[in-house]
Amino acid sequence: MLAPLLPAQPVRGSQWRDHRQVINVICRVKRTGSPWRDLPER
């Protein structure tokens, strides 16, 4: 369902992170209510 909403990989420049990682982080923040700055680096 989310695939059409996600941007494509850029033609030039570096590759973006895997979309699954980004979606997992967004869901984690939404679920726990923690601010972005409190997320671990990995």
Side-chain angles (χ1 to χ4, degrees):
M1 285 191 317
L2 296 175
L5 303 173
L6 298 172
Q9 291 290 344
V11 176
R12 296 189 311 174
S14 61
Q15 294 286 319
W16 294 345
R17 286 196 174 271
D18 186 19
H19 289 308
R20 289 175 293 170
Q21 287 180 322
V22 175
I23 292 171
N24 284 339
V25 170
I26 292 170
C27 291
R28 178 180 174 175
V29 168
K30 179 74 173 156
R31 182 177 64 243
T32 62
S34 62
W36 286 103
R37 65 179 176 271
D38 291 344
L39 290 175
E41 286 188 31
R42 294 189 165 263

